[in-house]
Amino acid sequence: MSRIAKNSINISENITCKYENGNFYAKGKLGEMSLVVNELFKVEIKEKEIFVLPKEDKDKLNPNWGTTRSLIFNIVQGVDIGF
């Protein structure tokens, strides 16, 4: 089980995020970015946090879980403070 994937992603006040139809979108002061999320995972946006969760328990061992979380984190950081 991935230790990275279990961590939530904090959203600052300057960013708007949404997840629909398997796509994650983030918009901030530096622009907009989107990501087609692997179909094995879902994204939940609650309050000011983003959670990447596997749809089935067997996918908790999939290394793409942590990769998907990292990609979303980089998008959120990129539209807010840049790289």
Coordinates of all heavy atoms in Angstrom, one line a residue:
M1 N 0.8 -1.2 0.0 CA 0.0 0.0 0.0 C 0.9 1.2 0.0 O 1.8 1.3 0.7 CB -0.9 0.0 1.2 CG -2.0 1.0 1.2 SD -3.1 0.9 2.6 CE -3.8 -0.7 2.4
S2 N 0.5 2.2 -0.8 CA 1.3 3.4 -1.0 C 1.2 4.3 0.2 O 0.1 4.7 0.5 CB 1.0 4.0 -2.3 OG 1.6 5.3 -2.5
R3 N 2.3 4.8 0.7 CA 2.2 5.8 1.7 C 1.9 7.2 1.2 O 1.3 8.0 1.8 CB 3.5 5.8 2.5 CG 3.6 4.6 3.5 CD 4.9 4.8 4.3 NE 5.9 4.1 3.5 CZ 7.2 4.1 3.8 NH1 7.6 4.8 4.8 NH2 8.1 3.5 3.1
I4 N 2.4 7.4 0.0 CA 2.2 8.7 -0.7 C 0.7 8.9 -1.0 O 0.1 9.9 -0.8 CB 3.1 8.9 -1.9 CG1 4.5 9.0 -1.5 CG2 2.7 10.1 -2.7 CD1 5.5 8.9 -2.7
A5 N 0.1 7.9 -1.6 CA -1.3 8.0 -2.1 C -2.3 8.2 -1.0 O -3.3 8.8 -1.2 CB -1.6 6.7 -2.8
K6 N -2.0 7.8 0.2 CA -2.9 7.9 1.3 C -3.0 9.3 1.8 O -4.0 9.7 2.5 CB -2.5 7.0 2.5 CG -2.7 5.5 2.3 CD -2.6 4.8 3.5 CE -1.2 4.1 3.6 NZ -1.0 3.3 4.8
N7 N -2.0 10.2 1.5 CA -2.1 11.6 2.0 C -3.0 12.4 1.1 O -3.1 12.2 -0.1 CB -0.7 12.2 1.9 CG 0.3 11.5 2.8 OD1 0.0 11.0 3.8 ND2 1.6 11.4 2.3
S8 N -3.7 13.3 1.8 CA -4.6 14.2 1.1 C -3.8 15.4 0.5 O -2.6 15.6 0.9 CB -5.6 14.8 2.0 OG -5.1 15.6 3.0
I9 N -4.4 16.1 -0.4 CA -3.8 17.3 -1.1 C -4.6 18.5 -0.6 O -5.8 18.5 -0.8 CB -3.8 17.1 -2.6 CG1 -3.1 15.9 -3.0 CG2 -3.2 18.4 -3.3 CD1 -3.4 15.5 -4.5
N10 N -3.9 19.5 0.0 CA -4.5 20.7 0.4 C -4.7 21.6 -0.7 O -3.8 21.8 -1.6 CB -3.7 21.4 1.5 CG -3.7 20.5 2.8 OD1 -4.6 19.9 3.1 ND2 -2.5 20.5 3.4
I11 N -5.9 22.3 -0.8 CA -6.2 23.3 -1.8 C -6.2 24.7 -1.2 O -6.9 24.9 -0.2 CB -7.6 23.0 -2.4 CG1 -7.7 21.6 -2.9 CG2 -7.9 24.0 -3.5 CD1 -9.1 21.2 -3.3
S12 N -5.5 25.6 -1.8 CA -5.5 27.0 -1.2 C -6.8 27.7 -1.7 O -7.5 27.2 -2.6 CB -4.2 27.7 -1.7 OG -4.3 28.0 -3.1
E13 N -7.0 28.8 -1.2 CA -8.2 29.6 -1.5 C -8.2 30.1 -2.9 O -9.3 30.4 -3.4 CB -8.4 30.7 -0.5 CG -8.6 30.3 0.9 CD -8.6 31.5 1.9 OE1 -8.7 32.6 1.4 OE2 -8.6 31.2 3.1
N14 N -7.1 30.2 -3.5 CA -7.0 30.8 -4.9 C -7.3 29.8 -6.0 O -7.3 30.1 -7.2 CB -5.6 31.3 -5.1 CG -5.1 32.3 -4.1 OD1 -5.9 33.0 -3.5 ND2 -3.8 32.3 -3.8
I15 N -7.5 28.5 -5.6 CA -7.7 27.5 -6.6 C -9.1 26.9 -6.6 O -9.7 26.7 -5.6 CB -6.7 26.3 -6.4 CG1 -5.3 26.9 -6.4 CG2 -6.8 25.2 -7.4 CD1 -4.2 25.8 -6.0
T16 N -9.6 26.6 -7.8 CA -10.9 25.9 -7.9 C -10.6 24.6 -8.6 O -9.9 24.5 -9.6 CB -11.9 26.7 -8.7 OG1 -11.4 27.0 -10.0 CG2 -12.3 28.0 -8.0
C17 N -11.1 23.5 -8.1 CA -10.9 22.2 -8.6 C -12.2 21.5 -8.8 O -13.2 21.7 -8.0 CB -10.0 21.4 -7.6 SG -8.4 22.0 -7.3
K18 N -12.3 20.6 -9.8 CA -13.4 19.8 -10.0 C -13.0 18.5 -10.6 O -12.0 18.4 -11.3 CB -14.5 20.5 -10.8 CG -14.1 20.8 -12.2 CD -15.3 21.5 -12.9 CE -14.9 21.8 -14.4 NZ -16.0 22.5 -15.1
Y19 N -13.9 17.5 -10.4 CA -13.6 16.1 -10.9 C -14.9 15.7 -11.6 O -16.0 15.6 -10.9 CB -13.2 15.2 -9.9 CG -13.0 13.8 -10.3 CD1 -12.0 13.4 -11.2 CD2 -13.9 12.8 -9.9 CE1 -11.8 12.1 -11.6 CE2 -13.8 11.5 -10.3 CZ -12.7 11.1 -11.2 OH -12.6 9.8 -11.6
E20 N -14.9 15.4 -12.9 CA -16.1 15.0 -13.5 C -15.8 14.1 -14.7 O -14.8 14.4 -15.5 CB -17.0 16.1 -13.9 CG -16.4 17.2 -14.8 CD -17.3 18.4 -15.1 OE1 -18.1 18.7 -14.2 OE2 -17.1 19.0 -16.1
N21 N -16.5 13.1 -14.9 CA -16.4 12.1 -16.1 C -14.9 11.6 -16.2 O -14.4 11.5 -17.3 CB -16.8 12.8 -17.4 CG -18.2 13.2 -17.3 OD1 -19.1 12.6 -16.7 ND2 -18.5 14.3 -18.0
G22 N -14.3 11.4 -15.1 CA -12.9 10.8 -15.1 C -11.8 11.8 -15.4 O -10.7 11.4 -15.6
N23 N -12.2 13.1 -15.4 CA -11.2 14.2 -15.6 C -11.1 15.1 -14.4 O -12.1 15.4 -13.8 CB -11.6 15.0 -16.8 CG -11.5 14.2 -18.1 OD1 -10.5 13.5 -18.4 ND2 -12.5 14.3 -18.9
F24 N -9.8 15.4 -14.0 CA -9.6 16.4 -12.9 C -9.2 17.7 -13.5 O -8.4 17.8 -14.4 CB -8.5 15.8 -12.0 CG -8.1 16.8 -11.0 CD1 -8.9 17.0 -9.8 CD2 -7.0 17.6 -11.1 CE1 -8.5 17.9 -8.8 CE2 -6.6 18.5 -10.1 CZ -7.4 18.6 -9.0
Y25 N -9.8 18.8 -13.1 CA -9.5 20.1 -13.5 C -9.1 21.0 -12.4 O -9.7 20.9 -11.3 CB -10.8 20.8 -14.2 CG -11.3 20.0 -15.4 CD1 -12.3 19.1 -15.2 CD2 -10.8 20.1 -16.6 CE1 -12.9 18.3 -16.2 CE2 -11.3 19.4 -17.7 CZ -12.3 18.5 -17.5 OH -12.8 17.8 -18.5
A26 N -8.1 21.8 -12.6 CA -7.7 22.8 -11.6 C -7.5 24.2 -12.3 O -6.9 24.2 -13.4 CB -6.4 22.4 -10.9
K27 N -7.9 25.2 -11.6 CA -7.8 26.6 -12.2 C -7.2 27.5 -11.1 O -7.8 27.5 -10.0 CB -9.1 27.1 -12.7 CG -9.0 28.4 -13.3 CD -10.3 28.8 -13.9 CE -10.2 30.2 -14.6 NZ -11.5 30.6 -15.2
G28 N -6.2 28.2 -11.4 CA -5.6 29.1 -10.4 C -5.1 30.4 -11.1 O -5.3 30.6 -12.2
K29 N -4.3 31.1 -10.3 CA -3.8 32.4 -10.8 C -2.8 32.3 -12.0 O -2.7 33.2 -12.7 CB -3.3 33.3 -9.7 CG -2.0 32.6 -9.0 CD -1.5 33.5 -7.9 CE -0.4 32.8 -7.2 NZ 0.1 33.5 -6.0
L30 N -2.2 31.1 -12.1 CA -1.2 30.9 -13.2 C -1.7 30.1 -14.3 O -1.0 29.8 -15.3 CB 0.0 30.2 -12.6 CG 0.8 31.0 -11.5 CD1 2.0 30.1 -11.0 CD2 1.3 32.3 -12.1
G31 N -3.0 29.8 -14.3 CA -3.6 29.1 -15.5 C -4.5 28.0 -15.1 O -4.9 27.8 -14.0
E32 N -4.8 27.1 -16.1 CA -5.6 26.0 -15.9 C -4.9 24.7 -16.4 O -4.1 24.8 -17.3 CB -6.9 26.1 -16.8 CG -7.8 27.2 -16.4 CD -9.0 27.3 -17.4 OE1 -9.5 26.2 -17.7 OE2 -9.4 28.4 -17.7
M33 N -5.2 23.6 -15.7 CA -4.6 22.3 -16.1 C -5.7 21.3 -15.9 O -6.6 21.4 -15.1 CB -3.3 22.0 -15.3 CG -2.2 22.9 -15.6 SD -0.7 22.4 -14.8 CE -0.2 21.1 -15.9
S34 N -5.5 20.2 -16.7 CA -6.4 19.1 -16.5 C -5.7 17.7 -16.6 O -4.5 17.7 -17.1 CB -7.5 19.1 -17.5 OG -7.0 18.9 -18.8
L35 N -6.3 16.7 -16.1 CA -5.7 15.4 -16.1 C -6.7 14.3 -16.3 O -7.8 14.4 -15.6 CB -4.9 15.1 -14.8 CG -4.3 13.7 -14.6 CD1 -3.1 13.5 -15.5 CD2 -4.0 13.5 -13.2
V36 N -6.5 13.4 -17.2 CA -7.4 12.2 -17.3 C -7.0 11.2 -16.3 O -5.8 10.7 -16.4 CB -7.3 11.6 -18.8 CG1 -8.2 10.4 -18.8 CG2 -7.7 12.7 -19.8
V37 N -7.8 11.0 -15.3 CA -7.5 10.1 -14.2 C -7.7 8.7 -14.6 O -8.6 8.3 -15.3 CB -8.3 10.5 -13.0 CG1 -8.0 9.5 -11.8 CG2 -8.1 11.9 -12.6
N38 N -6.7 7.8 -14.2 CA -6.8 6.4 -14.4 C -8.1 5.9 -14.0 O -8.6 6.2 -12.9 CB -5.6 5.7 -13.7 CG -5.5 4.3 -14.0 OD1 -6.4 3.6 -14.3 ND2 -4.2 3.8 -14.0
E39 N -8.7 5.0 -14.8 CA -10.1 4.6 -14.5 C -10.2 3.7 -13.2 O -11.3 3.4 -12.8 CB -10.7 3.8 -15.7 CG -9.8 2.6 -16.1 CD -10.2 2.1 -17.5 OE1 -10.7 2.9 -18.3 OE2 -10.0 0.9 -17.7
L40 N -9.1 3.2 -12.7 CA -9.1 2.4 -11.5 C -9.2 3.3 -10.2 O -9.5 2.7 -9.1 CB -7.8 1.6 -11.4 CG -7.5 0.7 -12.5 CD1 -6.1 0.0 -12.3 CD2 -8.5 -0.4 -12.6
F41 N -9.1 4.6 -10.4 CA -9.2 5.5 -9.2 C -10.2 6.6 -9.3 O -10.6 6.9 -10.5 CB -7.8 6.1 -9.0 CG -6.7 5.1 -9.0 CD1 -5.9 5.0 -10.0 CD2 -6.5 4.4 -7.8 CE1 -4.9 4.0 -10.0 CE2 -5.5 3.4 -7.8 CZ -4.7 3.2 -8.9
K42 N -10.6 7.1 -8.2 CA -11.6 8.2 -8.2 C -11.0 9.3 -7.4 O -10.2 9.1 -6.5 CB -13.0 7.8 -7.7 CG -12.9 7.3 -6.3 CD -14.3 6.8 -5.8 CE -14.2 6.2 -4.4 NZ -15.5 5.8 -4.0
V43 N -11.5 10.5 -7.6 CA -11.0 11.7 -6.9 C -12.2 12.3 -6.1 O -13.2 12.5 -6.7 CB -10.4 12.8 -7.9 CG1 -10.0 14.0 -7.1 CG2 -9.2 12.2 -8.7
E44 N -12.0 12.5 -4.8 CA -13.0 13.1 -4.0 C -12.4 14.5 -3.5 O -11.3 14.6 -3.0 CB -13.3 12.3 -2.8 CG -14.1 11.0 -3.2 CD -14.5 10.2 -2.0 OE1 -14.3 10.7 -0.8 OE2 -15.1 9.1 -2.2
I45 N -13.2 15.5 -3.7 CA -12.9 16.9 -3.3 C -13.8 17.2 -2.1 O -15.0 17.3 -2.3 CB -13.0 17.9 -4.4 CG1 -12.1 17.4 -5.6 CG2 -12.6 19.3 -4.0 CD1 -12.3 18.2 -6.9
K46 N -13.2 17.4 -0.9 CA -14.0 17.7 0.3 C -13.4 19.0 0.9 O -12.2 19.0 1.2 CB -14.0 16.6 1.3 CG -14.6 15.3 0.8 CD -14.5 14.2 1.8 CE -15.2 13.0 1.3 NZ -15.0 11.9 2.3
E47 N -14.2 20.0 1.1 CA -13.8 21.2 1.7 C -12.6 21.8 1.0 O -12.6 22.1 -0.1 CB -13.5 21.0 3.2 CG -14.7 20.6 4.0 CD -15.8 21.6 4.2 OE1 -15.4 22.8 4.3 OE2 -16.9 21.2 4.1
K48 N -11.4 21.7 1.7 CA -10.2 22.2 1.1 C -9.1 21.1 0.9 O -7.9 21.3 1.0 CB -9.6 23.3 1.9 CG -10.4 24.6 1.9 CD -10.4 25.2 0.5 CE -11.2 26.5 0.4 NZ -11.2 27.1 -0.9
E49 N -9.6 19.9 0.7 CA -8.7 18.7 0.5 C -9.2 17.9 -0.7 O -10.3 17.8 -1.0 CB -8.7 17.8 1.8 CG -8.0 18.4 3.0 CD -8.0 17.5 4.1 OE1 -9.0 16.9 4.5 OE2 -6.9 17.3 4.6
I50 N -8.2 17.2 -1.3 CA -8.4 16.3 -2.4 C -7.9 14.9 -2.0 O -6.8 14.8 -1.4 CB -7.7 16.7 -3.7 CG1 -8.1 18.1 -4.1 CG2 -7.9 15.7 -4.8 CD1 -7.3 18.7 -5.2
F51 N -8.7 13.9 -2.2 CA -8.4 12.5 -1.9 C -8.4 11.7 -3.2 O -9.4 11.8 -3.9 CB -9.3 11.9 -0.9 CG -9.3 12.6 0.5 CD1 -10.2 13.6 0.8 CD2 -8.4 12.2 1.4 CE1 -10.2 14.2 2.0 CE2 -8.4 12.9 2.7 CZ -9.3 13.8 2.9
V52 N -7.4 10.9 -3.4 CA -7.4 10.0 -4.6 C -7.6 8.6 -3.9 O -6.8 8.2 -3.1 CB -6.0 10.1 -5.3 CG1 -6.0 9.1 -6.5 CG2 -5.8 11.5 -5.8
L53 N -8.7 8.0 -4.4 CA -9.0 6.7 -3.8 C -9.2 5.6 -4.8 O -9.7 5.9 -5.9 CB -10.3 6.8 -3.0 CG -10.4 7.9 -1.9 CD1 -11.8 8.1 -1.4 CD2 -9.5 7.5 -0.8
P54 N -8.8 4.4 -4.5 CA -9.0 3.3 -5.5 C -10.5 2.9 -5.5 O -11.1 3.0 -4.4 CB -8.1 2.2 -5.0 CG -7.9 2.5 -3.6 CD -8.0 4.0 -3.4
K55 N -11.0 2.5 -6.6 CA -12.4 2.1 -6.7 C -12.6 0.8 -6.0 O -13.7 0.5 -5.5 CB -12.9 2.1 -8.1 CG -13.0 3.5 -8.7 CD -13.6 3.4 -10.1 CE -13.7 4.9 -10.7 NZ -14.2 4.9 -12.1
E56 N -11.6 -0.1 -6.1 CA -11.7 -1.5 -5.5 C -10.5 -1.7 -4.6 O -9.4 -1.1 -4.8 CB -11.7 -2.5 -6.6 CG -12.9 -2.4 -7.5 CD -12.9 -3.5 -8.6 OE1 -12.3 -4.6 -8.4 OE2 -13.5 -3.3 -9.6
D57 N -10.7 -2.5 -3.6 CA -9.6 -2.8 -2.6 C -8.4 -3.4 -3.2 O -7.3 -3.1 -2.8 CB -10.1 -3.7 -1.5 CG -11.0 -2.9 -0.5 OD1 -10.8 -1.7 -0.4 OD2 -11.7 -3.6 0.3
K58 N -8.5 -4.2 -4.2 CA -7.4 -4.8 -4.9 C -6.4 -3.8 -5.5 O -5.3 -4.1 -5.7 CB -7.8 -5.9 -5.9 CG -8.5 -5.2 -7.1 CD -8.8 -6.3 -8.2 CE -9.4 -5.6 -9.4 NZ -9.4 -6.4 -10.5
D59 N -6.9 -2.6 -5.8 CA -6.1 -1.6 -6.5 C -5.3 -0.8 -5.5 O -4.5 0.1 -5.9 CB -7.0 -0.7 -7.3 CG -7.6 -1.4 -8.5 OD1 -6.9 -2.3 -9.1 OD2 -8.8 -1.1 -8.9
K60 N -5.4 -1.1 -4.2 CA -4.6 -0.4 -3.2 C -3.1 -0.8 -3.4 O -2.2 -0.1 -2.9 CB -5.0 -0.7 -1.8 CG -6.3 0.0 -1.4 CD -6.7 -0.3 0.0 CE -8.0 0.5 0.3 NZ -8.4 0.3 1.7
L61 N -2.8 -1.9 -4.0 CA -1.5 -2.3 -4.2 C -0.9 -1.9 -5.6 O 0.2 -2.1 -5.9 CB -1.4 -3.9 -4.2 CG -1.8 -4.5 -2.8 CD1 -1.8 -6.0 -2.9 CD2 -0.9 -4.0 -1.7
N62 N -1.7 -1.2 -6.4 CA -1.3 -0.7 -7.7 C -0.4 0.5 -7.5 O -0.8 1.5 -6.9 CB -2.6 -0.4 -8.5 CG -2.3 -0.1 -9.9 OD1 -1.2 0.3 -10.3 ND2 -3.3 -0.4 -10.8
P63 N 0.8 0.4 -8.1 CA 1.7 1.6 -8.0 C 1.2 2.9 -8.7 O 1.7 4.0 -8.4 CB 3.0 1.1 -8.6 CG 2.6 -0.1 -9.5 CD 1.4 -0.6 -8.9
N64 N 0.2 2.7 -9.5 CA -0.4 3.9 -10.2 C -1.2 4.8 -9.2 O -1.5 5.9 -9.6 CB -1.2 3.5 -11.4 CG -0.4 3.0 -12.5 OD1 0.7 3.5 -12.8 ND2 -0.9 2.0 -13.2
W65 N -1.5 4.3 -8.1 CA -2.3 5.0 -7.1 C -1.5 6.2 -6.6 O -1.9 7.4 -6.7 CB -2.7 4.2 -6.0 CG -3.6 4.8 -4.9 CD1 -4.3 5.9 -5.0 CD2 -3.8 4.3 -3.6 NE1 -5.0 6.2 -3.9 CE2 -4.7 5.2 -2.9 CE3 -3.3 3.3 -2.8 CZ2 -5.1 5.1 -1.6 CZ3 -3.7 3.1 -1.5 CH2 -4.6 4.0 -0.9
G66 N -0.2 6.0 -6.2 CA 0.7 7.0 -5.8 C 1.1 8.0 -6.9 O 1.2 9.2 -6.7
T67 N 1.2 7.4 -8.1 CA 1.6 8.2 -9.3 C 0.4 9.2 -9.6 O 0.7 10.4 -9.9 CB 1.8 7.4 -10.5 OG1 2.9 6.5 -10.2 CG2 2.2 8.2 -11.7
T68 N -0.8 8.7 -9.6 CA -2.0 9.6 -9.8 C -2.1 10.7 -8.8 O -2.3 11.8 -9.2 CB -3.3 8.7 -9.8 OG1 -3.1 7.7 -10.8 CG2 -4.5 9.6 -10.2
R69 N -1.9 10.4 -7.5 CA -1.9 11.4 -6.5 C -0.8 12.4 -6.7 O -1.1 13.6 -6.6 CB -1.7 10.7 -5.1 CG -2.0 11.7 -3.9 CD -0.6 12.0 -3.4 NE -0.7 12.9 -2.2 CZ 0.1 13.9 -2.0 NH1 1.2 14.1 -2.8 NH2 0.0 14.6 -0.9
S70 N 0.4 12.0 -7.1 CA 1.5 12.9 -7.3 C 1.2 13.8 -8.5 O 1.5 15.0 -8.5 CB 2.8 12.2 -7.5 OG 3.2 11.5 -6.4
L71 N 0.6 13.3 -9.6 CA 0.3 14.1 -10.7 C -0.7 15.2 -10.4 O -0.6 16.4 -10.8 CB -0.3 13.2 -11.9 CG 0.8 12.3 -12.5 CD1 0.0 11.4 -13.5 CD2 1.8 13.1 -13.3
I72 N -1.7 14.8 -9.6 CA -2.7 15.8 -9.2 C -2.1 16.9 -8.3 O -2.4 18.0 -8.4 CB -3.9 15.1 -8.5 CG1 -4.7 14.3 -9.6 CG2 -4.9 16.1 -7.8 CD1 -5.8 13.4 -9.1
F73 N -1.3 16.4 -7.4 CA -0.6 17.4 -6.5 C 0.2 18.4 -7.3 O 0.2 19.6 -7.0 CB 0.3 16.6 -5.5 CG 1.2 17.6 -4.7 CD1 0.7 18.2 -3.6 CD2 2.5 17.8 -5.0 CE1 1.5 19.1 -2.8 CE2 3.3 18.6 -4.2 CZ 2.8 19.3 -3.2
N74 N 1.0 17.9 -8.3 CA 1.8 18.8 -9.2 C 0.9 19.8 -10.0 O 1.3 20.9 -10.2 CB 2.7 18.0 -10.1 CG 3.8 17.3 -9.4 OD1 4.2 17.7 -8.3 ND2 4.3 16.2 -9.9
I75 N -0.3 19.3 -10.4 CA -1.2 20.2 -11.1 C -1.6 21.3 -10.2 O -1.6 22.5 -10.5 CB -2.3 19.4 -11.7 CG1 -1.9 18.6 -12.9 CG2 -3.5 20.4 -12.1 CD1 -2.9 17.7 -13.5
V76 N -2.1 20.9 -9.0 CA -2.6 21.9 -8.0 C -1.5 22.9 -7.6 O -1.7 24.1 -7.6 CB -3.1 21.2 -6.7 CG1 -3.4 22.2 -5.6 CG2 -4.3 20.4 -7.1
Q77 N -0.3 22.4 -7.4 CA 0.9 23.3 -7.1 C 1.2 24.2 -8.3 O 1.6 25.4 -8.2 CB 2.1 22.5 -6.7 CG 3.2 23.3 -6.2 CD 4.4 22.5 -5.8 OE1 4.5 21.3 -6.1 NE2 5.3 23.1 -5.0
G78 N 1.2 23.6 -9.5 CA 1.5 24.4 -10.7 C 0.6 25.5 -11.0 O 1.1 26.6 -11.5
V79 N -0.7 25.4 -10.8 CA -1.6 26.5 -11.1 C -1.6 27.6 -10.0 O -2.1 28.6 -10.2 CB -3.0 26.0 -11.4 CG1 -3.1 25.1 -12.6 CG2 -3.6 25.3 -10.2
D80 N -1.0 27.2 -8.9 CA -1.0 28.2 -7.7 C 0.3 28.9 -7.6 O 0.4 30.1 -7.7 CB -1.3 27.4 -6.4 CG -1.5 28.4 -5.3 OD1 -1.9 29.6 -5.5 OD2 -1.3 28.0 -4.1
I81 N 1.4 28.2 -7.4 CA 2.7 28.8 -7.2 C 3.7 28.6 -8.3 O 4.8 29.2 -8.3 CB 3.3 28.4 -5.9 CG1 3.6 26.9 -5.8 CG2 2.5 28.8 -4.7 CD1 4.3 26.4 -4.6
G82 N 3.4 27.7 -9.2 CA 4.3 27.4 -10.4 C 5.3 26.4 -10.0 O 5.3 25.8 -8.9
F83 N 6.2 26.1 -11.0 CA 7.2 25.0 -10.8 C 8.5 25.6 -10.6 O 8.9 26.6 -11.1 CB 7.2 24.1 -12.0 CG 5.9 23.3 -12.1 CD1 4.9 23.7 -13.0 CD2 5.6 22.3 -11.3 CE1 3.8 23.0 -13.2 CE2 4.5 21.6 -11.4 CZ 3.5 21.9 -12.4

